[in-house]
Amino acid sequence: MRSTSQSTTPVPHEPWYKYGIAVLFLEIAIAIAVSGYSLYMTFHGLGGFPGKH
């Protein structure tokens, strides 16, 4: 049986990596906000098929 050891040395990233992570977190925040707004509209009866209000 082989033992698998994991390296703890840091891996160098590309220069754009931190910007990619920032954009990813921004998209996550937008998705959470849209979901929250959708739930708010649903539970307050503000949603529905267009023209049926």
Side-chain angles (χ1 to χ4, degrees):
M1 181 176 199
R2 294 185 311 188
S3 64
T4 58
S5 63
Q6 294 182 349
S7 175
T8 57
T9 59
V11 178
H13 296 293
E14 297 290 327
W16 53 264
Y17 183 78
K18 60 183 174 183
Y19 300 110
I21 295 297
V23 169
L24 180 66
F25 281 128
L26 177 64
E27 290 180 354
I28 290 170
I30 291 170
I32 291 171
V34 168
S35 298
Y37 181 64
S38 175
L39 287 172
Y40 170 81
M41 288 183 65
T42 300
F43 291 129
H44 286 86
L46 302 174
F49 192 76
K52 295 278 189 175
H53 299 281

